[in-house]
Amino acid sequence: MNNSPLVSLIIITMNHEKFIEQACQSAISQTYPNYEIILLDNASKDKTFENAEKVLSQFSQHYKMIRNTESFGVAKNINIAITQASGEYVSLLSGDDWYTENSLAEKVSYIQKNPVDFILSDGYKYYQDEDKTTDTYTPKEKKQVIESLSNFFHENVSENKTSNVGTFVKREMLVKYPFDENINTEDWDMNLRLTSKGYKIGFIDKKLFYYRILSTSLSRNWKLMKDSYEKVTHKYIDYIKADQELYKKYNLKLIHFKYEILLSETDSPTEKEKLQTEWKKEKYRIKYKHPVLFFKLLLLKK
């Protein structure tokens, strides 16, 4: 393999005028020597496109800017951008996140040295409203991700346990298996689809990205997340139902969505307390089959 294969760094953005310059600056500042940048603006109504162009015009290598006349979902935008990419590999970045300078170099080095088809990595979470940076994973969470890579599909089919910022993948795989445009959690769905087909996933234990969390982030929209969760798991529901522990986790996740939605719809402290109690009861009915143990634990939790 060529020591410096061409990488297509794809940036998908919409109404990120406050953040896109940081994303683009991180893109043009990569230490890796051979890459192009494809930026797709999803019909932004602010200065996102202009701010991005101001930064990318400083890039000495090839870059391309696409501007939608109407807005689409993230998955469709990625699929559109993939058709414009020329790289052997693709690295995906949202317009409100950013990379460390060594992100591409570390990914290329890893995929050349390991028998894997796509890669995730460690990174940081940046909470915009609080101006606070934290690790993406706790030490325990990261250990579990790394130790379960060989069994990734099974470990993640009932719940997404990874952060998918900066996913690095062979372009030919995304051409053959495009992102599902009917799903909002398109990254989790793609991880499951590829690993279910036998493709190998790797994990770089280095912090290579910053994931910006906004009050408007998808992870805060419980109804949308529930809908997406059901669409993804429906594809593998027979597999999930065939495993008692997976099916339990699946049902617990549905209950989680149910009560998060109900809690988000009320401002009454009394109603919130009532819902929390009901949530607790439903959760323990699923987790513990023995009735004596169930009621003992329920009493302890009150």
Side-chain angles (χ1 to χ4, degrees):
M1 182 186 290
N2 187 329
N3 287 333
S4 298
L6 180 64
V7 175
S8 296
L9 197 168
I10 291 177
I11 304 173
I12 304 296
T13 186
M14 180 181 178
N15 296 332
H16 289 146
E17 68 175 3
K18 295 179 180 178
F19 315 124
I20 191 62
E21 291 184 46
Q22 186 173 28
C24 289
Q25 190 61 49
S26 79
I28 70 173
S29 300
Q30 291 298 300
T31 59
Y32 186 71
N34 188 26
Y35 68 105
E36 63 177 5
I37 297 173
I38 310 292
L39 182 138
L40 187 149
D41 179 79
N42 190 33
S44 292
K45 299 184 184 303
D46 57 15
K47 298 291 186 181
T48 296
F49 190 85
E50 291 80 3
N51 291 352
E53 191 169 34
K54 181 171 63 176
V55 178
L56 293 185
S57 64
Q58 304 168 34
F59 188 48
S60 60
Q61 300 185 60
H62 177 261
Y63 73 93
K64 183 169 187 176
M65 300 184 67
I66 305 165
R67 195 173 198 175
N68 288 347
T69 55
E70 60 179 304
S71 63
F72 304 113
V74 174
K76 183 166 185 174
N77 284 316
I78 295 175
N79 288 339
I80 292 170
I82 292 294
T83 66
Q84 303 298 310
S86 303
E88 183 176 344
Y89 300 103
V90 166
S91 192
L92 300 173
L93 181 66
S94 172
D96 55 348
D97 302 329
W98 69 101
Y99 283 158
T100 59
E101 290 185 352
N102 61 335
S103 184
L104 294 187
E106 290 288 351
K107 292 168 185 174
V108 172
S109 175
Y110 184 94
I111 208 166
Q112 288 183 323
K113 295 175 182 176
N114 296 276
V116 298
D117 301 292
F118 65 116
I119 304 169
L120 303 178
S121 78
D122 195 5
Y124 296 101
K125 291 179 181 178
Y126 175 69
Y127 294 85
Q128 179 70 31
D129 295 344
E130 298 96 318
D131 188 23
K132 181 179 71 174
T133 301
T134 66
D135 293 337
T136 294
Y137 301 99
T138 65
K140 181 180 179 181
E141 288 170 341
K142 186 161 64 172
K143 184 173 183 289
Q144 289 174 338
V145 168
I146 293 172
E147 290 181 348
S148 65
L149 287 175
S150 61
N151 200 27
F152 185 92
F153 174 82
H154 184 85
E155 292 296 324
N156 286 269
V157 69
S158 63
E159 181 179 5
N160 182 30
K161 298 178 181 178
T162 60
S163 177
N164 302 296
V165 180
T167 298
F168 189 84
V169 58
K170 294 177 179 177
R171 182 174 60 88
E172 63 183 23
M173 289 163 53
L174 298 186
V175 172
K176 187 174 182 180
Y177 303 107
F179 280 87
D180 187 334
E181 297 178 4
N182 297 309
I183 292 175
N184 290 303
T185 48
E186 71 291 328
D187 42 15
W188 176 38
D189 177 65
M190 179 59 72
N191 290 347
L192 293 179
R193 182 139 42 116
L194 294 179
T195 51
S196 71
K197 294 181 180 299
Y199 291 105
K200 304 299 182 185
I201 188 169
F203 183 88
I204 303 176
D205 189 8
K206 295 181 180 180
K207 296 186 182 299
L208 304 180
F209 65 79
Y210 287 82
Y211 170 45
R212 192 188 309 268
I213 298 177
L214 306 166
S215 58
T216 55
S217 293
L218 175 60
S219 58
R220 310 267 177 119
N221 189 327
W222 292 108
K223 285 186 177 180
L224 200 58
M225 289 295 290
K226 178 177 182 288
D227 175 71
S228 198
Y229 179 81
E230 291 177 329
K231 285 178 178 177
V232 173
T233 52
H234 178 72
K235 298 180 180 184
Y236 310 105
I237 195 64
D238 291 340
Y239 182 92
I240 292 170
K241 286 183 175 179
D243 185 285
Q244 186 176 349
E245 283 303 309
L246 283 182
Y247 196 44
K248 182 188 293 185
K249 291 177 182 177
Y250 167 79
N251 283 306
L252 287 170
K253 195 70 177 175
L254 289 181
I255 289 172
H256 178 84
F257 286 126
K258 171 185 172 182
Y259 282 98
E260 288 288 10
I261 291 169
L262 291 172
L263 286 167
S264 70
E265 293 175 340
T266 180
D267 294 321
S268 166
T270 303
E271 181 65 18
K272 284 181 182 290
E273 186 176 349
K274 180 183 175 183
L275 287 169
Q276 291 283 6
T277 301
E278 291 175 359
W279 183 358
K280 202 175 291 184
K281 288 179 181 179
E282 279 203 57
K283 184 168 66 174
Y284 289 132
R285 284 194 189 100
I286 292 175
K287 289 181 76 172
Y288 306 106
K289 289 187 175 181
H290 197 291
V292 175
L293 178 61
F294 166 74
F295 286 114
K296 280 184 178 179
L297 287 166
L298 190 56
L299 287 170
L300 287 172
K301 291 285 182 177
K302 284 185 176 181

